[in-house]
């Protein structure tokens, strides 16, 4: 007959824990070091350094026809804004650009959604991107002029081509990187087709999609300027590229640089006011990007 033994009772003790020592507050940074922590100040400093280097190089060159100074370019830029000519050219270019950009986004989304849903769509996307993604959009301009004539339609055609393939490649690569666990979770909720793409694939692939949007924007912007440099006006109105081309013909180099500065400033504005806040509100807030 086996004996039953009670388990030993472990002795309990109480220990007084000393309160944690207060960590001394970090010393305040000097004003210069604190200001240097601001990203916009660092970027402004870089721009100022570039402007000083430009001014010094132009004064050393001493040839306004080849390289106007930064101050001359700034004066031409301000005059162009005050006269209303430069804003009008920018408005014409941006109107065409936004239309082509929106059409390219819709086409890329339809193509990638088809590729994510069906095997034939995946084969179609891989084949088309391998064919047309390496093809520069500006190389299609002669065909666009032949098919659509001198007008907005030709510009829209080359802009859609510039936006469609980088965005489709980026979105599809993002879709391919979505973990299987998320895919299975979507299937368990009964999602399929377009609902599966919108609710599962698009949020998970958002970093790649945003990268594709930024690359597509850059391609579309420079394609539009190049196309306007080639054949100029659209529906009787010239855009920013035509402004640069006209002033180059008339040897107003300071206005040429003013037009180029407008192209750069618009690019900086879109990147810092549109895409960066969008990234902050989505992928950075969700911890998908540092």
């Amino acid at each position: 007959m086996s004996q039953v033994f009670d388990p030993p009772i472990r002795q309990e003790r109480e220990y007084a824990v000393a309160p944690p020592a207060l960590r001394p507050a970090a010393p305040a940074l000097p004003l210069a070091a604190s200001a240097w922590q601001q990203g916009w100040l660092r970027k402004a400093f870089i721009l100022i350094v570039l402007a000083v280097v430009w001014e010094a190089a132009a004064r050393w060159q001493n040839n306004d026809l080849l390289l106007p100074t930064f101050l001359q370019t700034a004066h031409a830029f301000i005059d162009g804004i005050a006269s209303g000519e430069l804003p009008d050219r920018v408005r014409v270019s941006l109107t065409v650009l936004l239309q082509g950009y929106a059409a390219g986004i819709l086409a890329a989304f339809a193509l990638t959604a088809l590729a994510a849903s069906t095997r034939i769509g995946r084969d179609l996307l891989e084949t088309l991107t391998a064919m047309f993604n390496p093809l520069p959009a500006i190389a299609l301009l002669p065909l666009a002029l032949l098919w659509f004539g001198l007008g907005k339609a030709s510009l829209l055609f080359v802009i859609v081509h510039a936006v469609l393939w980088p965005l489709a490649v980026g979105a599809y690569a993002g879709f391919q990187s979505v973990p299987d666990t998320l895919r299975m979770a979507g299937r368990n909720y009964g999602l399929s087709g377009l609902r599966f793409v919108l609710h599962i694939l698009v949020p998970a692939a958002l970093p790649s999609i945003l990268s594709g949007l930024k690359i597509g924007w850059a391609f579309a912007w420079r394609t539009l300027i190049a196309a306007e440099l080639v054949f100029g006006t659209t529906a009787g109105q010239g855009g920013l590229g035509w402004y640069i081309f006209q002033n180059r013909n008339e040897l107003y180099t300071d206005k040429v640089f003013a037009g180029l500065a407008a192209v750069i400033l618009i690019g900086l504005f879109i990147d810092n006011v549109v895409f960066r806040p969008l990234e902050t509100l989505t992928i950075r807030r969700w911890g998908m990007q540092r």
Side-chain angles (χ1 to χ4, degrees), residues 201-216:
L201 297 184
V202 170
L206 198 56
S208 298
I209 294 174
L210 285 178
S211 297
L213 287 172
K214 293 175 68 173
I215 295 173

Side-chain angles (χ1 to χ4, degrees), residues 178-192:
V178 176
D180 290 336
T181 52
L182 289 179
R183 295 175 181 270
M184 289 187 290
R187 301 296 184 191
N188 289 337
Y189 277 100
L191 299 178
S192 62

Side-chain angles (χ1 to χ4, degrees), residues 118-168:
T118 63
R119 179 173 297 178
I120 186 64
R122 182 165 60 251
D123 295 338
L124 177 65
L125 178 62
E126 292 176 353
T127 303
L128 292 180
T129 51
M131 292 171 56
F132 295 115
N133 193 34
L135 186 63
I138 199 66
L140 295 176
L141 187 58
L143 285 178
L145 295 176
L146 182 63
W147 292 342
F148 305 108
L150 290 172
K152 184 189 295 186
S154 297
L155 290 178
L156 292 176
F157 178 78
V158 294
I159 291 173
V160 169
H161 174 84
V163 175
L164 172 58
W165 309 115
L167 179 54

Side-chain angles (χ1 to χ4, degrees), residues 40 43 265-278:
W40 66 272
K43 294 177 182 178
L265 290 176
I266 291 172
L268 290 174
F269 177 83
I270 295 298
D271 184 69
N272 290 281
V273 178
V274 177
F275 287 114
R276 193 173 299 276
L278 184 60

Side-chain angles (χ1 to χ4, degrees), residues 250-268:
E250 298 173 4
L251 300 181
Y252 293 139
T253 313
D254 54 346
K255 292 186 177 181
V256 172
F257 275 83
L260 295 175
V263 174
I264 294 172
L265 290 176
I266 291 172
L268 290 174

